[in-house]
């Protein structure tokens, strides 16, 4: 005699409500952006309203929620959530500041100091010879390099396109087993760390969006980082 032992959560699993560490102003702004886009392309129907779509996209970008889990809790398909995420990321990335306009705005407002530095965006490992350009010996991890421009207070002003992580960035002196740093090199590293502190502060805001390890596709990584920059700016400046 065969005995059936169904799962405690039932065949469809359990649904739960979670809290996003974001302001309602950001959610409302993103929802209005989605509504405007749907009106522009003439899309009269979606499985969920614009506000709900915005909330799902924010859950993916901020907390790295799996699209399949969000889809199951809202009665839609996983590919639908993935498509919405890519659609909204594209809308946000198109609103990211461009370097030329950013520099002109800084000059027009009398800004004095801007800081430039790079950071590693971790990526999934790829096999084969293509993988070599995505490995950082400094960080001991695969990823893509993003250059950011900040003001003296660490506010992010612009981010570059993602590029292979083997591209050089600003670094200090490194000691070796048989070659310790000189006093001058240590002072130089200390001065560089002090200058880079505001930039690291800006990157910390950017990395609060836990989107997981991105694929090593520079185009998608660029769109993702620029979309997160737009959302970060709205959260920090509110």
């Amino acid at each position: 005699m065969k005995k059936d032992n169904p799962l405690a959560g039932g065949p469809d699993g359990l649904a739960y409500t979670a809290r996003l560490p974001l302001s309602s102003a950001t959610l409302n702004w993103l929802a209005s952006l989605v509504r405007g886009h749907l009106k522009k392309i003439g899309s009269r129907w979606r499985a969920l309203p614009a506000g709900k779509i915005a909330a799902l996209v924010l859950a993916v970008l901020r907390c790295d929620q799996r699209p399949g889990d969000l889809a199951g809790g809202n009665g839609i398909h996983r590919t639908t959530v993935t498509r919405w995420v890519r659609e909204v990321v594209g809308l946000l990335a198109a609103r990211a500041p461009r370097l030329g306009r950013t520099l002109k705005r800084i000059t027009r407002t009398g800004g004095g100091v801007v800081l430039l530095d790079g950071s590693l965006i971790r990526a999934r490992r790829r096999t084969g010879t293509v993988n070599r350009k995505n490995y950082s010996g400094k960080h001991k991890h695969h990823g893509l390099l993003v250059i950011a421009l900040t003001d003296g207070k660490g506010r992010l002003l612009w981010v570059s396109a993602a590029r292979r992580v083997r591209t050089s960035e600003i670094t200090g002196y490194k000691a070796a087993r048989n070659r310790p740093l000189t006093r001058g090199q240590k002072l130089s590293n200390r001065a560089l760390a002090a200058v880079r502190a505001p930039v690291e502060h800006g990157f910390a805001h950017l990395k609060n969006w836990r989107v997981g390890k991105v694929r090593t596709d520079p185009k998608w990584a660029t769109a993702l980082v620029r979309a997160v920059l737009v959302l970060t700016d709205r959260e920090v400046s509110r």
Side-chain angles (χ1 to χ4, degrees):
M1 181 177 178
K2 187 176 179 181
K3 184 178 180 181
D4 293 327
N5 293 314
L7 297 176
D12 297 326
L14 296 173
Y16 66 95
T17 303
R19 179 179 180 273
L20 285 175
L22 297 170
S23 66
S24 58
T26 297
L27 174 62
N28 294 335
W29 175 81
L30 186 58
S32 65
L33 184 65
V34 173
R35 290 190 194 97
H37 172 67
L38 296 181
K39 183 178 181 181
K40 181 179 180 180
I41 65 176
S43 178
R44 298 182 179 181
W45 182 87
R46 289 287 170 101
L48 295 176
K52 194 69 175 181
I53 294 174
L56 294 181
V57 173
L58 289 176
V60 172
L61 298 181
R62 184 68 176 191
C63 300
D64 200 16
Q65 289 282 350
R66 294 170 53 188
D69 295 339
L70 294 173
N74 290 275
I76 54 178
H77 198 273
R78 177 185 58 81
T79 56
T80 301
V81 177
T82 302
R83 185 174 68 252
W84 287 345
V85 170
R86 289 189 170 272
E87 186 178 31
V88 175
V89 164
L91 292 174
L92 291 170
R95 284 160 174 75
R98 297 297 186 258
L99 181 59
R101 295 178 182 177
T102 300
L103 294 177
K104 288 181 180 179
R105 186 176 70 253
I106 294 172
T107 302
R108 186 170 59 250
T109 57
V113 178
V114 290
L115 305 171
L116 188 69
D117 202 356
S119 183
L120 174 76
I121 303 298
R122 294 197 171 196
R124 292 186 176 93
R125 180 176 179 176
R126 296 177 65 181
T127 58
T129 56
V130 180
N131 179 52
R132 297 175 184 174
K133 296 181 180 179
N134 301 322
Y135 184 77
S136 169
K138 174 184 175 183
H139 298 280
K140 302 294 187 295
H141 205 282
H142 295 79
L144 296 167
L145 178 67
V146 173
I147 306 297
L149 187 73
T150 70
D151 58 17
K153 296 181 179 179
R155 180 176 177 179
L156 287 167
L157 305 174
W158 167 84
V159 291
S160 72
R163 59 196 70 190
R164 301 301 180 187
V165 79
R166 288 185 62 181
T167 308
S168 61
E169 58 171 304
I170 302 172
T171 59
Y173 294 99
K174 294 187 66 175
R177 181 177 300 178
N178 57 351
R179 191 183 69 246
L181 295 180
T182 65
R183 183 174 180 275
Q185 290 172 333
K186 290 180 180 179
L187 291 175
S188 177
N189 282 350
R190 198 173 302 166
L192 180 61
V195 172
R196 292 181 64 186
V199 188
E200 294 299 329
H201 182 68
F203 273 124
H205 284 296
L206 197 66
K207 292 180 178 180
N208 279 337
W209 298 82
R210 298 186 293 275
V211 291
K213 297 178 182 178
V214 301
R215 298 185 183 276
T216 48
D217 178 4
K219 290 184 179 179
W220 168 242
T222 298
L224 186 61
V225 172
R226 287 178 173 170
V228 169
L229 171 63
V230 174
L231 292 172
T232 299
D233 183 62
R234 295 201 66 87
E235 279 293 298
V236 172
S237 61
R238 64 185 175 86

